[in-house]
Amino acid sequence: MGTFWKEECGIFGVFGHPEAANLTYLGLYALQHRGQESAGIVSSEGRGLYAHKEMGLVSEIFDKEVLKRLPGRSAIGHVRYSTAGGSHLKNAQPFVFDYSKGGIAIAHNGNLTNAQTLREELEREGAIFQSTMDTEVIVHLFAHAYPGNTVERVIAALKEIKGAYSLLFLNEKELIAARDPYGFRPLVLGKLKKGYVVGSETCAFDLIGAEFIREVEPGEVLRINEDGIQSFHPFPRVEPKFCIFEFIYFARPDSYIFGHNVYQVRKQLGVQLAKEHPVEADVVIPTPDSGFPAAIGFSHRSGIPLELGIIRNHYVGRTFIEPKESIRHFGVKIKLNSVREAIKDKRVVVLDDSIVRGTTVRKNMRMIRNSGAKEIHVRISSPPITSSCFYGIDTPTKEELIASSHSVEEIRRFIRVHSLGYLSLEGLKRCVAPRQEQFCYACFTGQYPVSPPQEKVQLDFFIKEV
Ligand code: AMP
């Protein structure tokens, strides 16, 4: 895989509403934080599929004219930052294809762990791939599954794949939603006055006034059509492994996923952190934006007042969306600035959600130092990240994860601060109790619920890409 941090994806779908494409556009707008590289919508008015996708942000890609060309009462959409496959329009989703029974579109959030093996098998049998997406494997398996109606074909395809997937399929007659047996990535179901909606996070429902019904269950396949909703459970049940990183960093704080409100969990992480790593200080400073909720929790628990000592320029893209290392570093500098008056001569506790390579926090701490802080104490609302993710969060290689080869003390020295405290794994688990065993902590423990792909296979896949 690439050596960059990359965001995951967001998916959204509507069935049975005359404004399906417009609502999908709004849904994607709310899910933009899950991927800023490309976006697409496919709609249907019952006879055909209409698609529009481009590189860029949702607001740049869609306007009234484009949306007018997406008619019908059903639609699915996708925002993407590549986790598998490169950064090209041909990899933008939803992916639309024709097979013997007509057209179908697919939108995927997650990462398959056996995609390369399946792809090689399919290619040996004569399949020709149009993209480098692992998602296209599902498309071929779907087309190969014969005979069967759409949902049966979907299920047959899902039985072949391993790893993380929250998926939406759309054809002329129905919308199918599916979540892998471990439920790594979120997927929620909602209701409009007319019709149903399915999406990655509930924040998308709030924007369009949809009522949250429930989460699509791990291992569940939902068929939504004119007759209503039908639920299938084609896989043996296993203990879920929800991605804990959704709570730490990815999901929007106003969303409800995995049985919790994200903001409340994040705030609790800060409370727990204050219990584990108390410090005498004058101010708590959040690193915008992801450090905010934990900083509030830390401040409440410790009694140390919160100050906005770092300000973010909201018109700069997230640093990690820049593909080149050189630009990424530049991005950090233009994104955040310190408020000298809130920092000078103070003992500051700086909160951030995670340390990945260590470059961001190091730069931020230099900025805080230059603003005249008397003491700097860093508190991180997650445990040290020591292992790569293979389930839809694109992580750097293990070697690039600073905590995989450096102790906390070494990292403290590297970022040049007085103290550094990470949240413990036990503390993290306490914040999602009593369901703590239902989460995947592989990025902190290296214990993978689904075997990761072999390193070599992965590398080959990537080399084809560049
Ligand atoms: P680094 O410089 O690699 O240590 O970056 C760590 C920063 O990136 C933290 O402030 C996080 O908020 C943010 N971050 C954590 N995970 C991700 C991710 N998967 N993609 C992009 N940014 C992330």
Side-chain angles (χ1 to χ4, degrees):
M1 309 270 269
T3 52
F4 326 118
W5 263 114
K6 291 169 186 172
E7 176 65 297
E8 322 172 298
C9 303
I11 54 177
F12 192 79
V14 177
F15 188 91
H17 194 287
E19 299 277 328
N22 285 332
L23 292 172
T24 303
Y25 160 75
L26 292 171
L28 293 183
Y29 211 104
L31 296 173
Q32 185 78 79
H33 61 287
R34 297 184 71 87
Q36 300 87 23
E37 181 188 87
S38 67
I41 298 179
V42 174
S43 75
S44 177
E45 55 9 341
R47 288 185 298 278
L49 295 176
Y50 302 82
H52 186 87
K53 50 187 180 176
E54 272 181 48
M55 304 301 285
L57 298 173
V58 176
S59 58
E60 297 161 354
I61 298 173
F62 296 98
D63 58 23
K64 268 194 189 144
E65 289 309 308
V66 172
L67 288 168
K68 241 195 252 164
R69 297 198 296 269
L70 297 168
R73 295 168 59 83
S74 58
I76 61 172
H78 189 270
V79 286
R80 170 168 197 267
Y81 203 102
S82 50
T83 54
S87 166
H88 305 292
L89 184 57
K90 71 181 162 95
N91 287 340
Q93 296 192 31
F95 200 63
V96 189
F97 64 101
D98 285 305
Y99 70 111
S100 55
K101 297 274 174 59
I104 190 152
I106 178 172
H108 176 203
N109 172 206
N111 223 180
L112 307 184
T113 52
N114 64 341
Q116 181 61 13
T117 318
L118 288 171
R119 185 180 173 122
E120 281 167 8
E121 277 169 25
L122 287 159
E123 280 178 338
R124 266 199 301 278
E125 288 165 19
I128 295 173
F129 281 75
Q130 297 174 18
S131 75
T132 50
M133 297 188 307
D134 57 348
T135 310
E136 199 184 342
V137 166
I138 308 174
V139 170
H140 285 270
L141 293 170
F142 174 92
H144 270 68
Y146 181 80
N149 61 27
T150 312
V151 79
E152 285 163 352
R153 281 171 179 261
V154 165
I155 289 171
L158 299 187
K159 286 192 169 160
E160 301 285 321
I161 60 176
K162 294 198 178 101
Y165 54 85
S166 282
L167 288 166
L168 296 179
F169 296 84
L170 182 76
N171 69 11
E172 289 87 348
K173 300 274 178 273
E174 51 200 14
L175 191 162
I176 293 170
R179 203 167 159 205
D180 71 74
Y182 292 96
F184 285 107
R185 310 260 65 93
L187 193 61
V188 287
L189 172 69
K191 175 119 192 60
L192 290 160
K193 263 206 191 96
K194 288 182 194 159
Y196 290 98
V197 285
V198 196
S200 297
E201 297 181 34
T202 61
C203 63
F205 293 176
D206 297 341
L207 182 62
I208 59 169
E211 181 197 336
F212 169 66
I213 303 178
R214 65 174 175 88
E215 302 189 41
V216 177
E217 290 172 23
E220 185 177 27
V221 178
L222 285 181
R223 171 163 64 189
I224 310 176
N225 58 24
E226 291 302 339
D227 300 327
I229 299 192
Q230 240 186 316
S231 161
F232 303 82
H233 277 279
F235 309 105
R237 287 206 193 239
V238 290
E239 172 123 82
K241 292 291 170 202
F242 307 127
C243 170
I244 194 71
F245 219 70
E246 292 275 353
F247 280 149
I248 291 166
Y249 174 80
F250 279 123
R252 246 173 67 163
D254 48 337
S255 286
Y256 176 94
I257 53 166
F258 304 153
H260 295 272
N261 163 241
V262 178
Y263 174 71
Q264 281 183 316
V265 174
R266 253 172 228 177
K267 206 166 125 189
Q268 198 52 38
L269 299 178
V271 170
Q272 180 65 28
L273 194 52
K275 286 188 206 166
E276 293 183 11
H277 297 286
V279 57
E280 279 203 18
D282 303 310
V283 287
V284 172
I285 294 179
T287 308
D289 288 328
S290 47
F292 270 116
I296 293 170
F298 194 99
S299 166
H300 280 187
R301 169 75 196 187
S302 63
I304 305 169
L306 191 73
E307 290 278 4
L308 300 189
I310 305 177
I311 302 300
R312 170 171 167 191
N313 178 343
H314 281 266
Y315 306 96
V316 181
R318 286 175 147 190
T319 51
F320 62 92
I321 71 167
E322 308 292 353
K324 276 194 193 141
E325 195 78 352
S326 54
I327 307 177
R328 212 172 67 86
H329 286 286
F330 178 60
V332 177
K333 272 183 270 166
I334 60 173
K335 194 171 96 169
L336 300 176
N337 193 19
S338 54
V339 182
R340 231 186 134 72
E341 290 67 19
I343 294 170
K344 194 169 173 345
D345 298 329
K346 303 232 169 77
R347 296 169 299 171
V348 302
V349 192
V350 182
L351 267 284
D352 204 350
D353 64 281
S354 56
I355 295 179
V356 182
R357 291 188 181 81
T359 42
T360 309
V361 68
R362 188 169 197 241
K363 275 175 204 287
N364 289 346
M365 292 316 109
R366 186 188 305 145
M367 185 172 76
I368 300 278
R369 246 191 335 273
N370 291 342
S371 298
K374 196 155 68 176
E375 283 176 27
I376 307 176
H377 303 274
V378 171
R379 297 294 178 267
I380 303 295
S381 59
S382 63
I385 300 177
T386 51
S387 302
S388 303
C389 174
F390 297 97
Y391 311 128
I393 291 176
D394 200 13
T395 50
T397 58
K398 192 171 169 68
E399 295 71 51
E400 289 172 274
L401 294 166
I402 189 166
S404 74
S405 55
H406 294 82
S407 66
V408 175
E409 173 54 20
E410 285 168 339
I411 300 171
R412 182 195 70 75
R413 268 186 270 137
F414 175 70
I415 64 176
R416 299 181 56 202
V417 294
H418 292 83
S419 76
L420 168 64
Y422 282 93
L423 184 65
S424 68
L425 184 63
E426 297 65 40
L428 172 62
K429 289 184 177 179
R430 205 161 296 151
C431 297
V432 289
R435 303 173 72 186
Q436 65 273 27
E437 293 317 315
Q438 301 188 347
F439 283 83
C440 172
Y441 303 97
C443 50
F444 310 121
T445 63
Q447 288 164 13
Y448 294 104
V450 175
S451 333
Q454 286 168 8
E455 214 52 49
K456 186 175 170 303
V457 169
Q458 244 202 320
L459 200 64
D460 289 348
F461 194 35
F462 182 64
I463 287 168
K464 270 190 206 158
E465 185 50 39
V466 291

